Amino acid sequence: MARGRVAISGTNTGGIWGVPATRRLLALELDFRVRRVEDGYALNVEGLATPAIMGLLRELELVNPADQMHLPPRHAGYRMPEFILRLAFNGQVADKPCGHLDQVRVTQPPGACCAECGPDDVYPTIRLCLTCGHLGCCDTSTQKHARAHYQDTGHPLMRSILNLERWMWCYEDGVLLGGVTLDRLAAELGA
C-alpha cells in the first residue's frame, strides 16, 4: 500500500469535458491511498468530502451554482466521467458494495419526463427506478420525485438518464455504481 498527498493547481484555460474554459484559478489538495486489489489497484481519496468536490465542479462550471441546482445544467450535452462521480460520492474510484442489485428489474427508461411533474415544471434531469421503471425528477429538482418514490416504495436503486449517463445510485447504501455494473445487470435481464 502507498499513501501520499497531491496538490493540484492551475487555470482552466482549455475547458474540460465539453464545457468552455472558465479562466479561473483552481487549487485542490488531496490525501490518497493506493492498494493492490486482485489483478489491479484501488485508489482511495481520503478526507475529501462531497462538498469540496462539488465546489471544484462548480468552479469548472460542470455543476450549477448552489442556488441554481434545480435548473437544467448550463452546458447541456457534456457527460462527466464516472470516475469523478465515484470519487465525489464514494470517496474512491471503484464501486462500493451494494446489497440491493438483486432487486433490479428494469434498466432502460420508458420515456424521458418526470411522471409526476407538470408540463411547465423545470428540473435538471430524470432518474429511473430500477425496480419498477418509475421516472422521477432528481434530488436537485424542486419536487424530488425520484427520492419521494424511494421513500414511498422502498425501491433502493435508480439510474441517471441524463445524456445517456450510465451510473446508478443506491439510496439505502448511499453508493454510486458505474456503467459496468449497469451493463452486467442489463445483460442478465436480457435488456
Side-chain angles (χ1 to χ4, degrees):
M1 178 170 34
R3 292 179 179 271
R5 183 167 185 85
V6 62
I8 304 166
S9 65
T11 303
N12 179 7
T13 59
I16 186 168
W17 302 313
V19 175
T22 62
R23 307 254 183 253
R24 293 187 187 123
L25 177 63
L26 306 167
L28 182 64
E29 289 188 25
L30 305 169
D31 292 318
F32 67 90
R33 181 173 42 116
V34 179
R35 60 186 166 81
R36 185 106 168 113
V37 177
E38 296 172 9
D39 55 342
Y41 294 92
L43 171 68
N44 286 65
V45 176
E46 299 171 351
L48 183 62
T50 300
I53 289 182
M54 291 303 287
L56 177 62
L57 296 177
R58 284 188 177 117
E59 286 292 318
L60 292 168
E61 294 187 4
L62 295 169
V63 174
N64 284 352
D67 64 340
Q68 296 176 18
M69 287 299 288
H70 64 288
L71 300 173
R74 284 186 192 177
H75 306 286
Y78 89 93
R79 186 166 62 186
M80 193 176 311
E82 283 183 16
F83 81 91
I84 297 292
L85 294 169
R86 285 193 296 266
L87 275 174
F89 293 102
N90 294 347
Q92 64 186 39
V93 174
D95 283 347
K96 283 190 170 181
C98 173
H100 304 95
L101 297 178
D102 62 336
Q103 295 182 37
V104 174
R105 304 282 180 269
V106 178
T107 59
Q108 298 302 315
C113 296
C114 178
E116 298 168 63
C117 282
D120 295 330
D121 288 327
V122 177
Y123 42 81
T125 189
I126 301 298
R127 307 296 188 223
L128 168 69
C129 173
L130 296 176
T131 302
C132 70
H134 175 269
L135 291 170
C137 51
C138 66
D139 278 1
T140 57
S141 70
T142 305
Q143 304 289 339
K144 298 175 180 48
H145 286 127
R147 180 169 293 276
H149 175 75
Y150 158 65
Q151 291 167 337
D152 290 346
T153 64
H155 296 168
L157 288 162
M158 67 85 182
R159 72 166 282 193
S160 172
I161 63 169
L162 172 70
N163 295 331
L164 304 176
E165 288 179 330
R166 297 170 42 244
W167 57 266
M168 302 178 296
W169 177 258
C170 180
Y171 288 108
E172 197 146 326
D173 292 333
V175 297
L176 187 132
L177 301 143
V180 171
T181 303
L182 179 63
D183 291 346
R184 179 179 56 79
L185 293 167
E188 290 172 7
L189 292 171

